[in-house]
Amino acid sequence: MKTAGGDGRVDLGSSSVERDLGVHIDNELKFSKHVETQANKANKILGLVRRPYEYLDQESMRMLFIALVRPHLEFAKCAWSPRLEKDKKLIGGVLRRATKCVPGLKDLEYEERLKVMKIPSMCYRRVRGDMIEVYKFMHGVYNCKNPLELNQQSGTRGHCYKLKKNACKTSLRQHFFTEL
């Protein structure tokens, strides 16, 4: 940092990525660096889990993945959600690798490995988590202003909880939680 004269002002430098509360965000409001960092951490832990065992059965691998690896992939998921396909593939790739670590499952298709191990996909968990949050907002579980709006103009069948879908001008806003 340099001072810009004798008046005590300081020129601030710029950076392309900042970290706030453990979440990396770049100057284009993308979370690709965060996804990359968390996927690398999860892959390292998966390697540490796999290495000491000569044989890992399905149930042991499932419990180790859920307890040690998945929390890194879902860290601060309330603040970010992967909207880019490359980020979704990077996160899902860790689970793909974990399911291939179990002997006898390596030759099965990915979806079959998930069914056998009784683990939902990362994409399913993100959608399920969003639906749970919508339910909590709509039924007053949170003691705050509801960011979601009900569509008052539509005659809904069966329930009165149809959400209003706002028009978005940018692709950034399209993927916000309130615009799902």
Side-chain angles (χ1 to χ4, degrees):
M1 287 193 274
K2 298 185 228 175
T3 57
D7 57 359
R9 290 187 291 167
V10 177
D11 291 337
L12 297 177
S14 65
S15 69
S16 60
V17 177
E18 283 296 321
R19 183 175 172 203
D20 189 18
L21 298 175
V23 178
H24 294 87
I25 185 168
D26 68 7
N27 54 1
E28 295 178 0
L29 298 177
K30 294 181 183 173
F31 295 96
S32 294
K33 180 64 177 169
H34 178 73
V35 170
E36 183 183 322
T37 303
Q38 294 305 110
N40 286 341
K41 282 182 187 177
N43 272 321
K44 285 178 186 176
I45 292 173
L46 183 60
L48 291 172
V49 164
R50 204 181 95 231
R51 206 169 295 135
Y53 296 101
E54 198 170 301
Y55 177 78
L56 263 176
D57 64 336
Q58 295 171 14
E59 189 58 30
S60 298
M61 185 59 188
R62 179 180 180 276
M63 290 189 325
L64 288 169
F65 178 80
I66 289 171
L68 300 174
V69 180
R70 193 166 68 188
H72 289 279
L73 297 174
E74 295 180 343
F75 174 72
K77 70 178 181 178
C78 299
W80 65 277
S81 181
R83 69 174 198 259
L84 301 176
E85 199 60 38
K86 68 174 188 162
D87 293 342
K88 292 176 184 178
K89 285 182 181 179
L90 196 58
I91 291 172
V94 178
L95 181 54
R96 281 182 187 274
R97 182 173 169 238
T99 58
K100 284 186 177 183
C101 293
V102 178
L105 298 183
K106 198 172 201 174
D107 297 328
L108 295 177
E109 292 292 322
Y110 176 59
E111 289 78 18
E112 287 298 316
R113 292 193 307 262
L114 291 176
K115 283 180 187 175
V116 169
M117 290 186 67
K118 300 176 188 163
I119 297 177
S121 69
M122 298 306 291
C123 181
Y124 173 82
R125 285 190 55 85
R126 280 191 301 276
V127 171
R128 182 178 178 269
D130 287 346
M131 288 191 299
I132 290 170
E133 291 301 313
V134 168
Y135 178 86
K136 287 178 179 180
F137 275 116
M138 299 310 294
H139 288 85
V141 173
Y142 296 131
N143 190 16
C144 65
K145 182 183 177 291
N146 188 350
L148 305 169
E149 291 182 56
L150 290 175
N151 190 352
Q152 303 295 335
Q153 299 172 352
S154 170
T156 59
R157 294 182 182 168
H159 62 82
C160 59
Y161 292 109
K162 184 172 182 181
L163 297 177
K164 184 176 181 183
K165 181 80 172 165
N166 296 322
C168 302
K169 293 182 180 180
T170 65
S171 64
L172 289 174
R173 186 71 178 164
Q174 282 178 335
H175 300 283
F176 276 28
F177 172 74
T178 56
E179 303 300 328
L180 300 175

